[in-house]
Amino acid sequence: MSKNKTLLTHDMIVGAVKKAAQEFPLTKVDYFGSYADGCATYDSDLDVLVEFDVPAVSILTIIGLKQFLEEELAKPVDVIHSPILPDAIIEIGRTVSIL
């Protein structure tokens, strides 16, 4: 993956997620973090929150989705499987729905 020295747009993210949805059993995708907050920089990664159409997915599926999105967007991507449990360490602030 080459590092993309541009900021991602919402349309770029949507396009990559729609392509990913053809390969992975996604039912819901949101992004959060600096891109959702509107304060992303050229070095920002993309944080995505995903739900699948099955109750449990393998870590290999999540890693495959991460790699797919990183290749499409040429940016590092963090993939978090949703729903987030109330006692989880991570706190998700503002989200932007894609799928």
Side-chain angles (χ1 to χ4, degrees), residues 17-83:
V17 167
K18 285 185 176 180
K19 280 186 182 179
Q22 295 172 1
E23 304 289 325
F24 298 89
L26 299 170
T27 58
K28 183 173 184 192
V29 179
D30 298 330
Y31 61 91
F32 64 99
S34 60
Y35 274 96
D37 292 337
C39 61
T41 68
Y42 296 114
D43 295 322
S44 294
D45 66 348
L46 176 66
D47 302 303
V48 294
L49 189 60
V50 300
E51 289 183 28
F52 296 88
D53 68 0
V54 292
V57 295
S58 89
I59 190 70
L60 296 176
T61 300
I62 294 171
I63 291 169
L65 174 60
K66 171 185 170 60
Q67 290 174 337
F68 184 96
L69 291 172
E70 287 180 340
E71 294 224 357
E72 286 294 314
L73 298 168
K75 286 275 188 190
V77 176
D78 290 330
V79 175
I80 307 295
H81 187 216
S82 182

